[in-house]
Amino acid sequence: MKMIVAVDSNWAIGYEGKLLARNKEDMKFFKETTINNIVIMGRKTLESFPGGNPLKDRDNIVITRDDSYTREGVYIAHSVKEAVDVSEEINSDNREVYVIGGASIYEQMLDLCDEIFVTKMDYEYTADTYFPNLDEDSRFTVSYTSEDKEYPDGKFRFITYSKK
Ligand SMILES: NC(=O)c1ccc[n+]([C@@H]2O[C@H](COP(=O)([O-])OP(=O)(O)OC[C@H]3O[C@@H](n4cnc5c(N)ncnc54)[C@H](OP(=O)(O)O)[C@@H]3O)[C@@H](O)[C@H]2O)c1
């Protein structure tokens, strides 16, 4: 299982239920990476998408504690374990499974992931949700760093962290 996340210079990922930045190249990378694969997310992340709609051309698994929660075009799971079980049940064709947030789901599923695709922005946003600082996590090591790239708020780069 893999994770994909965009963080600022403090490992912040969100503010008031929304993303911190608009970064077209990152959106493209996210789409190209996850397309035709399986994505797992928390209920709040699903509801942060336009119209609260699932991501197209991907199987969307949404985790909620609400037993009556339903959404068209979405697999519902009521625990992390159930989400993993569903991802295995629907994955007879060996697709990648990406955990796509938000903070609570990243934190609970980090240990299940062997590769984390981090888009690291050199900017400090106002934020209320954070990703764990992988530079301080001895389980992970940087296995790839792209060249510096530009977006409207400054520089960013793509970094892959792999489990040691
Ligand atoms: N920068 C990025 O790459 C990125 C990516 C994704 C999201 N984000 C941002 O992150 C923020 C949202 O993160 P968040 O932590 O507030 O919300 P979240 O993780 O998306 O969703 C939280 C919800 O997931 C459900 N949940 C969590 N753990 C569960 C468990 N063990 N069992 C059953 N259900 C569980 C609960 O849903 P119920 O309340 O329905 O029970 C909980 O309220 C937003 O600002 C979003 O824009 C950023």
Side-chain angles (χ1 to χ4, degrees):
M1 197 171 297
K2 300 181 191 302
M3 236 172 221
I4 184 163
V5 63
V7 305
D8 81 350
S9 52
N10 295 318
W11 294 84
I13 64 163
Y15 184 58
E16 295 185 336
K18 299 196 191 100
L19 294 176
L20 298 174
R22 288 263 153 248
N23 179 338
K24 274 192 189 164
E25 193 172 347
D26 181 46
M27 298 299 269
K28 185 166 171 262
F29 175 73
F30 176 85
K31 188 173 179 187
E32 285 173 358
T33 305
T34 57
I35 202 95
N36 298 325
N37 287 307
I38 297 170
V39 292
I40 299 179
M41 74 197 85
R43 192 262 308 162
K44 291 183 185 172
T45 291
L46 174 71
E47 292 184 356
S48 76
F49 296 156
N53 291 317
L55 299 177
K56 281 186 193 142
D57 302 319
R58 281 147 281 197
D59 275 338
N60 289 239
I61 302 173
V62 175
I63 309 180
T64 174
R65 293 187 177 88
D66 181 348
D67 288 334
S68 61
Y69 193 82
T70 54
R71 275 286 185 286
E72 213 180 311
V74 160
Y75 294 94
I76 301 291
H78 298 101
S79 66
V80 165
K81 184 181 180 308
E82 198 183 330
V84 174
D85 289 347
V86 171
S87 75
E88 287 170 358
E89 276 161 29
I90 63 176
N91 199 15
S92 53
D93 45 351
N94 239 347
R95 286 170 290 161
E96 291 291 355
V97 180
Y98 288 95
V99 176
I100 63 162
S104 73
I105 299 302
Y106 283 139
E107 200 180 321
Q108 294 173 76
M109 298 193 74
L110 186 58
D111 211 32
L112 302 174
C113 294
D114 53 17
E115 224 169 11
I116 322 286
F117 296 106
V118 177
T119 301
K120 194 93 165 57
M121 301 175 282
D122 288 346
Y123 194 90
E124 209 170 310
Y125 292 93
T126 302
D128 57 17
T129 30
Y130 292 82
F131 194 88
N133 182 338
L134 294 182
D135 293 323
E136 293 174 355
D137 189 327
S138 57
R139 289 170 298 178
F140 292 93
T141 185
V142 171
S143 55
Y144 168 78
T145 306
S146 75
E147 76 271 26
D148 284 359
K149 297 164 182 290
E150 304 272 352
Y151 77 117
D153 294 334
K155 284 193 179 20
F156 75 100
R157 63 201 63 79
F158 296 112
I159 305 179
T160 307
Y161 289 80
S162 300
K163 200 160 255 171
K164 285 178 187 167

